[in-house]
Amino acid sequence: MTSEVLARALNTNPVVVRRLMGGLREHGYVHSEKGHGGGWTLSCQLDQVTLRDIYEALDAPRLFAIGNRSEETECLVEEAVNHAMSSVLTDVKAQFLARFGQITLAALHADFHQKLAERFSGGLT
Amino acid sequence: MTSEVLARALNTNPVVVRRLMGGLREHGYVHSEKGHGGGWTLSCQLDQVTLRDIYEALDAPRLFAIGNRSEETECLVEEAVNHAMSSVLTDVKAQFLARFGQITLAALHADFHQKLAERFSGGLT
DNA sequence: CACTCTAGCAACACATGAAGTTACATGAGA
DNA sequence: TCTCATGTAACTTCATGTGTTGCTAGAGTG
């Protein structure tokens, strides 16, 4: 499948697709080939890869929209608040990763197929 | 304390301070007075207010930097991914709120005083 | 009553980072 | 050698949060 085709399916741009897929390729989840007949192919077992793996392959983008204004500060009030916030955010992020680590691509695949079946058996609007 | 003074302490602008404090005032955590001698005064018990209360008084700003591209979609793959993501994010947010709900301003206050004491007893760089 | 000091608020400007776009190089068939 | 694909850098656009300006209104002071 080419970046071009994927981009259309994702309502985005081929270059954006390549940027994202680049991370997945480095981790061996997909393979790419240049030239005529080239494109992207899956190169992993869906039940061996989790959302957490994907998240990390994508360079673990910032998870929270909130956070400390600055790590180093002279202000003791800010320091106290930072400490409390960091502690919570660290723990919560760990839980997030743990949960993502339990969701395999195979599970998403199965969910997709179930939704597909429902759509063809009258479960439609 | 005036917005002007607070702004200097926070390295920001008086108007930004008023915007933030406005949310706290609506919930009765602080009180403001106009005119000569006016400004902000605390109007709550520090041990009765948690970081969660503050977070919500501030209109519960977006917590996560990631999320679904769109809530409604025709794409069954996107739907499956959204479902998995939302489920995790909802749970994780709940945990975040629970943790913040356990941190009172009084606790931060105490932490601040301890750091202050340390600074005056040789625990300094 | 005029003056000063304060919050309240709307409107605008700026900064940051993510997403999208363009342009060109490289490699692989046909 | 021509076309089709990825790889990548540089640039543009867009969204969002933050900062700024200008003005209104209320409250004390002389």
Side-chain angles (χ1 to χ4, degrees), chain A residues 66-75 78-83 85-87 89-90:
Chain A
I66 64 175
N68 302 341
R69 279 176 76 105
S70 62
E71 289 310 320
E72 282 304 312
T73 176
E74 280 298 303
C75 174
E78 184 175 0
E79 201 176 309
V81 174
N82 281 355
H83 181 256
M85 288 252 296
S86 298
S87 163
L89 259 32
T90 299

Side-chain angles (χ1 to χ4, degrees), chain B residues 41-89:
Chain B
T41 47
L42 202 57
S43 60
C44 65
Q45 295 296 315
L46 291 187
D47 60 355
Q48 297 299 307
V49 180
T50 65
L51 283 186
R52 173 176 181 157
D53 296 324
I54 303 294
Y55 172 75
E56 284 166 349
L58 261 31
D59 263 339
R62 205 169 47 116
L63 177 59
F64 297 109
I66 64 175
N68 301 340
R69 278 175 77 102
S70 62
E71 288 311 320
E72 282 305 311
T73 177
E74 281 297 302
C75 174
L76 291 180
V77 175
E78 185 175 1
E79 202 177 308
V81 175
N82 281 354
H83 181 256
M85 286 251 297
S86 298
S87 164
V88 171
L89 258 31

Side-chain angles (χ1 to χ4, degrees), chain B residues 13-15 22-23 25-30 35-38 42 45 52-53 64-66 73 82 86-87 95-96 105:
Chain B
N13 190 289
V15 179
R25 185 188 49 230
E26 284 169 19
H27 287 254
Y29 302 140
V30 294
H36 206 116
L42 202 57
Q45 295 296 315
R52 173 176 181 157
D53 296 324
F64 297 109
I66 64 175
T73 177
N82 281 354
S86 298
S87 164
Q95 212 208 353
F96 165 82
L105 299 188

Side-chain angles (χ1 to χ4, degrees), chain A:
Chain A
M1 199 173 264
T2 67
S3 305
E4 171 71 27
V5 170
L6 279 170
R8 263 200 297 268
L10 296 169
N11 287 313
T12 183
N13 189 289
V15 178
V16 174
V17 171
R18 288 187 196 113
R19 273 210 284 255
L20 292 172
M21 299 293 275
L24 302 185
R25 184 188 51 228
E26 284 170 17
H27 286 253
Y29 303 140
V30 296
H31 173 74
S32 66
E33 278 191 47
K34 286 183 171 181
H36 208 115
W40 300 92
T41 47
L42 200 57
S43 61
C44 65
Q45 296 295 314
L46 291 187
D47 60 354
Q48 296 298 309
V49 180
T50 65
L51 284 187
R52 173 177 181 158
D53 296 325
I54 302 296
Y55 172 76
E56 284 167 348
L58 262 29
D59 265 338
R62 204 170 47 120
L63 177 58
F64 297 108
I66 64 175
N68 302 341
R69 279 176 76 105
S70 62
E71 289 310 320
E72 282 304 312
T73 176
E74 280 298 303
C75 174
L76 292 179
V77 176
E78 184 175 0
E79 201 176 309
V81 174
N82 281 355
H83 181 256
M85 288 252 296
S86 298
S87 163
V88 171
L89 259 32
T90 299
D91 292 355
V92 163
K93 176 163 188 174
Q95 209 205 358
F96 165 83
L97 290 176
R99 287 287 301 271
F100 257 35
Q102 287 171 342
I103 303 174
T104 63
L105 299 189
L108 295 179
H109 185 248
D111 192 16
F112 160 74
H113 274 292
Q114 191 188 323
K115 289 180 195 296
L116 192 64
E118 280 168 11
R119 174 164 291 186
F120 281 106
S121 67
L124 192 50
T125 37

